[in-house]
Amino acid sequence: MNSTTTAARLMAKLQQQPRDRMSDGRSAWHELQRVAHGSSDLVGKKLPPPVADRIARQLHEILERARPALHAAGVSMTQLARTAFGEYEASSKNIARLCLPPGSDPARRGIRRNALQFRQLISAIATHTGFNEEVIADEALAGTPLHPACAATPEFNELDFLSVALSQIVNQVDCEFDLFSTFQRTAAARLAGLQSGSKLCWPQYDHNAPTSEAEREGYNADWKRATDPTQVWWHDDDQFGLTNEYHWQPWGFGSGVLQDDDFFYVPHALLGDIELWNLPSPDVDRGAYELALSRELATYRALNPNRLWPMDDFDETTRQPFGQTVPRSGSDPVLHGALPYYWWIVIYPHPRGRRLVPALYQPGEEGGAYLLPLDLQALAMLRHAVWISPATEMPVTTRLRQLLSDPDGPLLQAFRRTAPWLVHNPVLRWDEQRRTELDALAAAIGKPAQRR
C-alpha cells in the first residue's frame, strides 16, 4: 500500500469520526461493538462457550429468515462471507462456524467465540438484506450477558437504563411498522428522483436550481451533497457531536433537516419545553449555572402562563402532518411563537445509516434544526437541561425516567400513532406517482395504436 493510499484512508477515517462518536449507547449492537472493539472486560478474549453457542443458535435462525432476501439480491454465502470478513476469508465455512442449527453439537461444528466475527456477520447481513443491524443484534444477543436487558444491573447507572429503554422502544416500533425498510426505500427513491429531475430532498431542504450566476458554484456543491448516499439523513459536519469553550452542549445543528411541519413524517413524540441554550456549563461554574437557571425559570413563568402546545396531527386527505410548528388558524400569534422551540424525540436513521436510533430534535430558527442521536453523550447533556411545565420543572433525564418507566407508556404510544405517517413522506409520494405513470405507459405501449 503506497503512502497516498494510506493518507487517503486515514483522512476518510478522520472524516468519519464525528459520526462514529455518536454511537456510544447501551443497545445490543453497541454492547457487541464494545466487546469487539471497545471498553469491555471481554475485549481481546474469547466469549464463554455458552454465550457463543447461544448467539450462534440465534444467528442461525436469523440467517435462515434472511435467505430469501439474500437470494433475491443474488448474494451467495461466499459473497456474504466476503462482505463480512474480507477477500481472504470469503468462504461459506466461516459463516457455518458462526451459526448453530438445531440439534448440532457446537464442539463438532467448531463454533467460533470471537465477538468481532459475530459483529461482522450481522453487519454483512444488514448490508445485503436491508435489515436493521440494531434489530438483528438485539435478537442474536437475546438471553446472553451481552444483551443490555440481561446485563448485571450494578454496572448500570441512570443513563444506561435510559439508553436501553429508548433503544428497545425504537426496535419494537421498527419491527411493528417496518420503519427501517421504509427509510431505506425513501433514500433510494430520493437519489433516483434527483437523477430524474425531481428536486425533492426530504427530510432535508429541496434542491432548487440557482437563480443567478453567483449561485452556480454553491448549487454544484449542494448537488454533490444531495446526491451523496451517505448524506441523505445527515449532512457531513466536522463539528458534529463536539463541544468547545463556547458551547458545552454537543453540536447538532449541521444535519440540514427541515424545520417545519413537513419534517414530522418521521415517528415522533413530544418531549416538551426544555431550558438548555441559556445555561452555562455546570461543570465549569455551578453557581453561574444555578443563577442562570433561576432567571430563566422566572422569565418563563412570567411570560408563558398560557403557552400553546403543538397540535401534532395528520391530515388524511392531503397526507401531511400539521400543527407541530405552525398553529391552527385563529390562535394568538404571541402564544404560538413558541412552537418551533419545543423538543421532540424522533426515530431516525443513525448517522451511518444502517440502523435506527432515538434522536433529539428541535426545529429552531436561524441556526437550523437541532438533531442529535440520544446516545450516552446526549443523555449526559440532558442531566443539566431542565424540562419545564406550567406547574413544575425537573432535569430532562428525570422526565425521561418518568416517561420510560411504563414500557407501554406515552412515548411508545406516540411513536405508534405517528409511525404510519412515514410512508406518506413527499419522496415516497413522488415515487408512487412516478411508478403509477410508468405502469400506465407500459400498458399503453402494449396496446395497438388507436386510429383517429
Side-chain angles (χ1 to χ4, degrees):
M1 184 183 300
N2 60 41
S3 59
T4 302
T5 302
T6 302
R9 291 188 176 182
L10 177 60
M11 181 58 65
K13 184 175 181 62
L14 290 173
Q15 290 173 341
Q16 187 64 47
Q17 281 180 346
R19 294 185 175 198
D20 290 339
R21 278 195 294 270
M22 312 309 297
S23 61
D24 185 19
R26 277 292 194 176
S27 68
W29 175 256
H30 293 147
E31 289 303 301
L32 189 58
Q33 290 271 61
R34 206 186 313 272
V35 172
H37 298 294
S39 54
S40 169
D41 293 338
L42 289 173
V43 172
K45 302 178 183 178
K46 292 183 177 180
L47 297 174
V51 174
D53 295 347
R54 179 155 189 161
I55 295 175
R57 189 174 295 111
Q58 292 167 169
L59 200 50
H60 168 78
E61 296 176 2
I62 293 168
L63 186 57
E64 288 301 301
R65 294 200 304 273
R67 283 184 186 275
L70 291 170
H71 179 75
V75 178
S76 66
M77 289 297 102
T78 299
Q79 289 172 304
L80 185 65
R82 182 177 293 110
T83 301
F85 314 118
E87 187 65 41
Y88 295 108
E89 299 290 334
S91 169
S92 60
K93 292 181 180 179
N94 290 322
I95 294 178
R97 294 185 66 187
L98 294 170
C99 298
L100 185 60
S104 299
D105 183 347
R108 293 188 62 182
R109 194 172 177 88
I111 292 299
R112 290 179 172 173
R113 294 160 55 194
N114 187 310
L116 175 60
Q117 292 174 326
F118 283 119
R119 187 203 67 78
Q120 290 171 326
L121 180 56
I122 289 172
S123 183
I125 294 172
T127 296
H128 288 296
T129 63
F131 296 170
N132 183 345
E133 63 187 5
E134 186 78 69
V135 173
I136 299 175
D138 193 69
E139 182 176 347
L141 270 61
T144 74
L146 299 185
H147 195 285
C150 302
T153 54
E155 299 177 0
F156 274 34
N157 58 33
E158 179 184 35
L159 302 188
D160 294 323
F161 282 116
L162 292 176
S163 179
V164 171
L166 287 166
S167 176
Q168 289 180 341
I169 287 179
V170 169
N171 289 344
Q172 181 176 346
V173 179
D174 178 19
C175 291
E176 290 178 8
F177 294 93
D178 199 21
L179 295 177
F180 186 69
S181 175
T182 304
F183 275 113
Q184 286 199 311
R185 287 195 295 115
T186 301
R190 169 179 149 175
L191 295 171
L194 288 171
Q195 299 293 344
S196 301
S198 168
K199 305 297 184 183
L200 296 175
C201 287
W202 185 91
Q204 295 162 339
Y205 286 94
D206 292 344
H207 184 67
N208 295 315
T211 58
S212 67
E213 180 65 24
E215 295 178 357
R216 179 177 57 82
E217 187 173 339
Y219 172 86
N220 289 335
D222 288 344
W223 170 259
K224 183 177 180 180
R225 182 167 58 187
T227 55
D228 181 350
T230 69
Q231 298 192 65
V232 170
W233 308 113
W234 309 76
H235 288 168
D236 282 341
D237 183 355
D238 292 340
Q239 298 302 310
F240 184 62
L242 296 179
T243 61
N244 60 36
E245 60 180 311
Y246 302 107
H247 55 87
W248 58 274
Q249 306 91 344
W251 184 259
F253 291 105
S255 63
V257 298
L258 296 166
Q259 298 175 256
D260 55 21
D261 291 358
D262 283 341
F263 178 77
F264 285 88
Y265 291 96
V266 302
H268 57 272
L270 179 65
L271 183 55
D273 224 340
I274 294 176
E275 181 54 56
L276 174 64
W277 303 127
N278 296 317
L279 302 178
S281 170
D283 295 327
V284 174
D285 191 331
R286 188 75 193 194
Y289 167 86
E290 295 292 351
L291 287 172
L293 177 58
S294 296
R295 288 194 300 269
E296 294 303 324
L297 290 175
T299 301
Y300 178 91
R301 302 283 182 226
L303 299 180
N304 301 284
N306 300 304
R307 198 165 188 175
L308 184 69
W309 286 82
M311 190 173 182
D312 192 26
D313 209 341
F314 191 80
D315 189 319
E316 297 292 346
T317 302
T318 63
R319 295 189 292 177
Q320 291 177 301
F322 69 93
Q324 293 82 16
T325 63
V326 179
R328 46 194 174 273
S329 60
S331 62
D332 186 336
V334 175
L335 297 179
H336 74 236
L339 289 182
Y341 297 98
Y342 283 111
W343 292 79
W344 305 75
I345 298 176
V346 301
I347 297 178
Y348 199 73
H350 182 271
R352 293 182 63 190
R354 299 221 319 244
R355 59 185 180 277
L356 300 181
V357 294
L360 194 64
Y361 172 76
Q362 185 196 45
E365 282 190 0
E366 294 88 352
Y370 187 83
L371 183 66
L372 192 74
L374 263 176
D375 62 359
L376 293 179
Q377 181 188 19
L379 288 169
M381 170 188 73
L382 294 182
R383 287 182 303 179
H384 305 306
V386 179
W387 179 85
I388 310 173
S389 75
T392 188
E393 68 275 344
M394 65 188 71
V396 175
T397 47
T398 301
R399 179 58 179 164
L400 285 174
R401 190 172 68 236
Q402 294 175 348
L403 294 172
L404 293 166
S405 59
D406 179 1
D408 293 319
L411 285 185
L412 178 59
Q413 297 307 316
F415 288 145
R416 281 174 168 162
R417 182 177 66 85
T418 59
W421 304 359
L422 182 62
V423 296
H424 301 297
N425 73 66
V427 169
L428 288 185
R429 287 209 310 270
W430 177 89
D431 190 57
E432 178 185 6
Q433 178 64 27
R434 180 183 68 91
R435 291 175 184 275
T436 299
E437 292 168 354
L438 287 175
D439 289 342
L441 177 60
I445 292 174
K447 294 179 180 179
Q450 297 293 320
R451 293 187 178 182
R452 295 181 181 272

